Amino acid sequence: MTAKKKLSKIRNIGIIAHIDAGKTTVTERILYYTGRSYKIGEVHDGEAVMDWMPQEQERGITITSAVTTCDWRNHEIHIIDTPGHVDFTMEVERSLRVLDGALVVFCAVGGVEPQSETVWHQADKHRVPKIAFINKMDRIGADFFKTVDMMKKRFRSTPLILQVPYFTGDTFEGIVDLVQQKTITWEEQHYGVVYHYVDIPQHIIPEAEKYRDRLIETIAELDDDIAEKYLEGLDIADQELTKAIRAATLRLRIVPVMCGTALRNKGIQPVLDAVVDYLPSPEDVPPIEGVNPNTKEVEKRISSEKEPFAALAFKVAMDEGRKITYLRIYSGTMKVGEDVYNANSGRKEKIARLLKMHANKRERINEAGAGSIVAVVGLKNTSTGETICDEEHPLLLEPIEFYQPVISQAIEAKTPADQEKLSAALAKFMEEDPTLKVKYDDETAQTVISGMGELHLEIILDRLIREYNTKVNVGKPKVVFRETIEKSVDVEGTFQRELGDAKHFGHVVLHLEPDKRGSGLTIINNIDISDAIAVYIPVIEEALRDASLTGVVAGYPVTDMRITIKRGTYREGESTGLGYKIAASTAFRDGCSQAGPILLEPIMTVDIMTPSDFMGEVIGDINSRRGEVESINPRGPISEIVARVPLKQMFGYSTDLRSATQGRANFTMQFLRFDKS
């Protein structure tokens, strides 16, 4: 992509949804209709362009977010196809962090499903404008209006219906476009490439008029010009309506809703039109904010090539041993061969190659500017969430928030040669995936990997064998616990020793108290700045944070606790940083032992969709797993059961659920909090 492309003609969008709602199928049609790919790749055949990893093709799911670029109506659309499985939520999180708009795909049969809610709230958190596409309208049980009602209730949003489905009997024929007041039908024999705008059939005109009136009423409440014309009974031109819908979408006041069936090639071209018409260009989004590392002041950068260069590294991938860093450029331009500055590490890096990505294929370019999403070869010391910028105008953008792992598994290499390969492979995986943690256990000589779920770890182990030819023995998955305390205590720690020729002294008094669940570790300093030991406070705080990584019950990190540094003693000529460090660590460990230490286990929110006939068996099974049913929502022949269950009790649940329901129920699970058993 040339840096000269007009910013108003660029769209950076993500396609997000619950697993199996049809995200990747929608993306494949978009690529085909925009001429980006010459044939349609189907997920069920393992041939989807965007699902290029062998693990994705075998399982028919998306694991890693894939980036591509296509053109529609002289606009350049950068698309990130994200995973729907909860184990890979981090991929969605980091994609939404750098995107300007989102296309949310819903299944017309399942409606708003659990992971749909998660991705919707992630988009809301980053204030990303959305359009919704209700997919699978050809399926038995598809209900467009019920899905729209669920969106209203679950998201407290204002869905704006732009299209209504058009059926002949039970057959989904096409859509009625309420803005242009036309029916759109597709020719199936041409894979949906050929489509026609025709007059609305007489028998559905009353329904079309009803929903168009609702559309205009909703927009009139948000746009004064439309309101004036509406109240005076004047005609409203399509362009005026489109402009008003765009303005309201960008302000997050409405979510335009469309429908179709991606698998049957109906409804995709109007979605592309909506991406161009309603979602923001880089010029429409607010200026990016960051902190100048030199002055510590907040600075803003508007999306322009005339501004100083600033970009965020949102993803790292290893490809044939080479590190590729994905960047979203917010301002300025970058060229091959230039030096750039990593504002997090304070180091210079060189741009060896610039690439425009199409899933795992690439196209070399020489220059990229504001609004672009590109891949770079050459950033050896840049990690996910770090800022790359102009050294003369440094800027630290807000980093990406990472999720904490909840499940771990012990692995050990089968041979010494495998051990070397294992260490190198895991180091590369950790660089790619910030939610993967690796720890070596000296006592058992095992390597412990921790991740977001059973599938997450399964994929890592599969990649070890396939990509690095590393043979490992695998232990059973284990739950990652946390520790906390139940009582408040005052405790003091003293260190006094002569090491070599120097004396080391430190003395601190701490107050430890339990805090509410999910609050983490809070350290409060009550020592006056004029006190002689105030200079050692940073050392004491660092020692407390280090000590909190290993609890006294079973060595798990300590959380949900408030530590107050009450006072300390200073000795002229003897007080040292080492002394206070050891004193603080000792006091912390003694205090934890005295304050009723307990283990906290990960509690999961489990959302089960089951035929109502099997509800009794499913609830009984949840109760037997120490679970607590929170709500039961009947949806006709299917019921949704929402429960909270300890993760430890959920291993092998998918097999048990299938057995209990003749394979007809499914579930999703996501981390809620650490809590008492």
Side-chain angles (χ1 to χ4, degrees):
M1 187 191 81
T2 65
K4 307 296 176 230
K5 186 81 180 178
K6 274 183 78 175
L7 281 173
S8 60
K9 299 279 188 184
I10 292 175
R11 300 288 181 273
N12 290 313
I13 68 159
I15 301 184
I16 59 176
H18 181 89
I19 191 167
D20 208 28
K23 289 180 312 303
T24 303
T25 307
V26 169
T27 312
E28 292 298 319
R29 268 57 185 179
I30 287 174
L31 297 181
Y32 184 65
Y33 298 140
T34 57
R36 194 69 182 81
S37 54
Y38 67 92
K39 73 168 200 168
I40 293 175
E42 299 293 11
V43 174
H44 52 263
D45 295 332
E47 291 180 355
V49 173
M50 302 300 273
D51 286 351
W52 55 270
M53 288 173 69
Q55 294 85 354
E56 294 178 313
Q57 291 166 353
E58 286 166 10
R59 291 168 174 79
I61 61 168
T62 303
I63 291 168
T64 181
S65 49
V67 180
T68 191
T69 303
C70 58
D71 287 284
W72 186 256
R73 279 174 39 194
N74 197 29
H75 285 68
E76 190 167 83
I77 304 173
H78 304 146
I79 299 171
I80 300 183
D81 177 31
T82 64
H85 196 287
V86 69
D87 283 16
F88 308 106
T89 300
M90 186 61 226
E91 289 287 325
V92 184
E93 180 71 27
R94 61 180 170 188
S95 299
L96 284 169
R97 172 72 172 78
V98 298
L99 291 168
D100 302 329
L103 170 61
V104 192
V105 181
F106 295 95
C107 169
V109 182
V112 175
E113 295 170 284
Q115 191 66 4
S116 313
E117 294 190 56
T118 304
V119 297
W120 187 282
H121 295 316
Q122 282 175 301
D124 279 348
K125 182 172 88 175
H126 295 292
R127 297 195 59 75
V128 174
K130 300 171 282 290
I131 55 177
F133 177 66
I134 298 176
N135 191 24
K136 304 190 181 185
M137 286 305 306
D138 59 318
R139 293 275 184 95
I140 294 168
D143 193 330
F144 174 78
F145 296 107
K146 185 179 174 187
T147 305
V148 173
D149 283 343
M150 288 175 80
M151 288 169 67
K152 278 183 197 163
K153 287 174 189 159
R154 297 279 181 95
F155 305 140
R156 293 191 173 90
S157 64
T158 306
L160 185 75
I161 296 174
L162 301 187
Q163 303 170 345
V164 290
Y166 163 43
F167 289 91
T168 303
D170 290 335
T171 307
F172 177 68
E173 294 286 353
I175 58 173
V176 177
D177 186 312
L178 301 175
V179 176
Q180 299 185 51
Q181 300 181 82
K182 291 284 184 185
T183 297
I184 312 175
T185 58
W186 281 262
E187 289 189 14
E188 290 193 36
Q189 67 269 35
H190 294 105
Y191 298 107
V193 172
V194 180
Y195 56 106
H196 306 283
Y197 283 80
V198 296
D199 289 336
I200 300 171
Q202 285 296 320
H203 68 282
I204 53 172
I205 285 177
E207 185 187 38
E209 286 179 343
K210 178 178 87 171
Y211 284 105
R212 180 173 163 90
D213 282 348
R214 283 193 194 172
L215 185 158
I216 294 172
E217 276 175 28
T218 306
I219 290 298
E221 288 175 15
L222 304 169
D223 187 288
D224 292 343
D225 293 341
I226 299 286
E228 203 174 300
K229 287 195 171 187
Y230 177 64
L231 292 170
E232 290 176 14
L234 300 172
D235 278 345
I236 297 164
D238 296 353
Q239 293 89 336
E240 288 179 279
L241 200 51
T242 299
K243 187 181 168 190
I245 293 169
R246 177 181 178 79
T249 305
L250 298 188
R251 298 202 317 269
L252 305 179
R253 301 296 298 276
I254 57 163
V255 179
V257 182
M258 315 175 79
C259 63
T261 165
L263 193 62
R264 299 279 169 260
N265 310 310
K266 295 176 180 177
I268 300 300
Q269 293 93 337
V271 168
L272 281 163
D273 288 335
V275 167
V276 167
D277 290 338
Y278 306 128
L279 288 183
S281 74
E283 286 182 333
D284 296 316
V285 293
I288 193 80
E289 284 190 0
V291 174
N292 184 317
N294 298 335
T295 65
K296 306 298 182 215
E297 290 188 6
V298 173
E299 292 182 8
K300 292 184 179 183
R301 297 273 164 89
I302 59 168
S303 195
S304 164
E305 290 171 9
K306 293 173 184 171
E307 290 269 301
F309 171 65
L312 185 76
F314 68 93
K315 180 178 164 74
V316 171
M318 294 294 170
D319 189 6
E320 295 172 1
R322 278 209 180 106
K323 179 177 171 181
I324 294 180
T325 309
Y326 288 79
L327 299 180
R328 162 67 197 264
I329 304 175
Y330 286 102
S331 60
T333 60
M334 66 191 300
K335 291 177 184 171
V336 173
E338 278 186 340
D339 283 340
V340 290
Y341 181 69
N342 184 321
N344 296 77
S345 64
R347 296 165 79 168
K348 279 187 184 180
E349 301 244 45
K350 190 176 278 294
I351 306 295
R353 284 187 199 169
L354 262 178
L355 306 167
K356 190 158 78 169
M357 299 300 289
H358 176 48
N360 63 331
K361 297 181 177 64
R362 56 185 82 158
E363 181 188 322
R364 287 177 74 161
I365 53 176
N366 294 317
E367 185 180 4
S372 305
I373 292 176
V374 292
V376 176
V377 178
L379 302 181
K380 292 176 183 170
N381 302 305
T382 297
S383 303
T384 302
E386 294 187 340
T387 307
I388 302 297
C389 59
D390 175 0
E391 192 175 3
E392 299 298 311
H393 304 87
L395 189 72
L396 262 175
L397 300 175
E398 187 187 341
I400 296 170
E401 218 175 285
F402 299 129
Y403 296 96
Q404 290 303 310
V406 294
I407 184 171
S408 66
Q409 200 159 19
I411 58 173
E412 58 185 14
K414 287 190 174 178
T415 67
D418 284 325
Q419 181 58 50
E420 278 183 36
K421 287 193 279 185
L422 178 65
S423 303
L426 288 175
K428 286 177 178 175
F429 288 160
M430 277 201 294
E431 201 160 8
E432 285 185 7
D433 183 354
T435 58
L436 175 70
K437 303 288 183 217
V438 178
K439 191 171 80 176
Y440 185 72
D441 191 326
D442 289 318
E443 288 180 22
T444 61
Q446 287 178 318
T447 300
V448 178
I449 58 172
S450 304
M452 301 301 293
E454 283 181 277
L455 181 61
H456 186 196
L457 297 187
E458 185 189 311
I459 298 293
I460 294 293
L461 294 170
D462 193 30
R463 288 183 65 195
L464 275 175
I465 296 163
R466 287 195 200 206
E467 294 174 29
Y468 293 92
N469 195 25
T470 306
K471 295 176 180 66
V472 292
N473 295 319
V474 182
K476 282 189 173 178
K478 282 187 179 176
V479 172
V480 178
F481 290 85
R482 292 286 184 272
E483 297 185 20
T484 192
I485 56 173
E486 290 197 295
K487 295 187 294 190
S488 297
V489 294
D490 284 316
V491 66
E492 60 184 302
T494 306
F495 180 78
Q496 186 172 1
R497 192 168 296 177
E498 203 167 308
L499 300 171
D501 296 335
K503 288 182 178 177
H504 293 273
F505 172 79
H507 169 255
V508 291
V509 178
L510 307 175
H511 177 71
L512 274 54
E513 59 187 318
D515 208 348
K516 63 179 186 295
R517 292 288 169 262
S519 59
L521 190 76
T522 308
I523 299 175
I524 301 159
N525 172 31
N526 273 1
I527 292 175
D528 194 270
I529 196 164
S530 61
D531 196 306
I533 75 158
V535 70
Y536 295 109
I537 292 302
V539 175
I540 294 169
E541 289 186 359
E542 187 188 349
L544 291 171
R545 292 198 188 280
D546 288 345
S548 74
L549 297 175
T550 314
V552 296
V553 180
Y556 291 106
V558 180
T559 187
D560 301 347
M561 178 196 287
R562 287 161 68 91
I563 307 169
T564 306
I565 307 167
K566 293 177 74 176
R567 61 181 185 279
T569 308
Y570 177 80
R571 285 188 189 170
E572 188 71 44
E574 292 184 17
S575 286
T576 62
L578 178 66
Y580 288 105
K581 189 174 185 177
I582 297 172
S585 300
T586 307
F588 177 81
R589 293 190 68 77
D590 290 349
C592 284
S593 300
Q594 296 166 27
I598 56 164
L599 279 179
L600 300 176
E601 63 179 328
I603 306 296
M604 312 300 282
T605 297
V606 183
D607 204 303
I608 306 149
M609 304 295 285
T610 176
S612 302
D613 306 351
F614 298 105
M615 216 160 67
E617 289 92 328
V618 173
I619 292 171
D621 186 52
I622 287 291
N623 291 335
S624 73
R625 294 170 189 271
R626 296 193 284 124
E628 201 177 292
V629 174
E630 292 223 305
S631 65
I632 299 167
N633 309 310
R635 296 191 193 171
I638 286 180
S639 291
E640 178 191 32
I641 300 168
V642 181
R644 291 181 181 177
V645 191
L647 174 61
K648 194 176 180 182
Q649 306 297 323
M650 290 301 291
F651 292 135
Y653 181 62
S654 54
T655 308
D656 294 344
L657 182 66
R658 278 198 293 270
S659 303
T661 62
Q662 297 170 13
R664 291 166 62 195
N666 60 59
F667 78 102
T668 55
M669 175 172 80
Q670 63 193 91
F671 174 72
L672 175 67
R673 62 166 180 262
F674 285 97
D675 214 335
K676 278 204 292 187
S677 303

